[in-house]
Amino acid sequence: MNSYRVPQLAKKYTDYDMIRQHTEIPSFPDSRARLLQVFVGRTDEKVHDELYALATSLVQLAMDTHDRIDTISGERREQEMRSRQLNVLAGDYLSSRFYQLLAHAGRIEMIGKLSGAVSEVNARKMTLYERMKKLLVSAEEYLRETVQLKMQLFLSFSDMIGSKEQSLWNSLLSEISCCEMIAEELRRMNDDQNFYHSYAFWHIYEHGNDDEQKWLRQPEMDARTWSRMVLKHRIGEVLLDKLRDCTRRIQQLLQDEENPLGLHEFDAILEPYLTYLQPSHAAVRED
């Protein structure tokens, strides 16, 4: 297996001044890309392990960038309009790079598989978004469905992975996708500009009182009110408990594995999530 350098390779496609000036590229799917490279590196397709990890990551970034396009009608300031237009263009650009990379390498069949996965993700998103608009989603359903959305592109490679490792691949992909999702939600819980329809939103709506539910149904909410509810419902502790459970399950899966899968790579995968679990980690403080 090649040494892991996928995020550095991706910068060739993401580090453009215009994009960074007017919008923001979503978080790189680093953990899933590492995992994919580990497993593909143990197959007959190992020569393409880096290519597959890079191409799939670019597709994921493209979809995540498109997800940032707001659907609110009405007038917008020039900066907001430009940011919206750049989200559209940046997502389209990243998607086109995935096609180019795989076509250039002659991996046409993977273009078809990943394109099919994109369609499946979009269909699943629409079902989830419809339920979210009607406020019919529980916090656990939201987390479960968003983890499935994170997994879908990477599941395109399941047929490539040997039958003896299929179960481990699926379990690790699920747990690692969950870790990535929880880390995102830990950041979102303190972002009063980006809390709407987050895990914290659904947890508070599910467990909150009538006044809190009324606040959450409003199109806008002041930062102080949001922070107060996050503190009251101990959202950080809830999410950290879930993250702790995920990392323990990953460690147990690796301990049970008779033929270790490049354990140094899993140390790198787990490191940022274990850091969140340190008592002094400032990013999850709720004070």
Side-chain angles (χ1 to χ4, degrees), residues 272-285:
Y273 308 117
L274 294 176
T275 299
Y276 269 107
L277 297 173
Q278 297 299 318
S280 60
H281 197 284
V284 298
R285 289 178 183 168

Side-chain angles (χ1 to χ4, degrees), residues 123-261:
R124 193 158 191 158
K125 280 180 184 177
M126 290 302 298
T127 300
L128 177 61
Y129 292 169
E130 284 300 315
R131 289 179 55 76
M132 289 166 69
K133 283 171 59 178
K134 297 175 183 177
L135 298 176
L136 297 176
V137 177
S138 69
E140 293 310 306
E141 180 184 2
Y142 166 79
L143 185 59
R144 183 174 62 253
E145 287 299 311
T146 49
V147 167
Q148 285 297 315
L149 291 172
K150 283 186 173 295
M151 292 175 60
Q152 204 64 52
L153 285 179
F154 294 81
L155 286 173
S156 301
F157 297 87
S158 293
D159 291 344
M160 187 182 298
I161 293 164
S163 58
K164 292 182 179 180
E165 295 181 345
Q166 280 281 342
S167 178
L168 182 62
W169 157 251
N170 288 329
S171 296
L172 285 173
L173 180 59
S174 176
E175 297 297 346
I176 287 171
S177 297
C178 189
C179 285
E180 281 194 325
M181 191 67 218
I182 293 170
E184 288 181 17
E185 295 298 328
L186 284 165
R187 293 189 289 268
R188 285 185 72 186
M189 75 177 188
N190 291 320
D191 183 355
D192 59 276
Q193 301 298 313
N194 193 34
F195 73 88
Y196 196 62
H197 287 177
S198 63
Y199 178 89
F201 175 96
W202 295 114
H203 183 91
I204 296 170
Y205 193 82
E206 185 177 355
H207 299 283
N209 57 38
D210 290 344
D211 287 340
E212 289 169 331
Q213 291 178 347
K214 181 179 178 181
W215 272 108
L216 291 174
R217 287 194 295 267
Q218 295 180 358
E220 295 183 6
M221 180 166 51
D222 66 275
R224 182 174 298 181
T225 301
W226 173 249
S227 296
R228 177 178 56 79
M229 290 194 290
V230 168
L231 280 170
K232 175 186 173 182
H233 290 273
R234 309 177 76 89
I235 301 299
E237 292 181 26
V238 172
L239 287 169
L240 286 176
D241 283 343
K242 291 183 178 299
L243 183 61
R244 190 173 293 108
D245 289 342
C246 283
T247 57
R248 284 174 179 167
R249 287 193 292 268
I250 291 170
Q251 290 167 331
Q252 187 61 54
L253 285 165
L254 296 174
Q255 288 174 6
D256 293 343
E257 173 63 20
E258 294 181 0
N259 186 15
L261 289 163

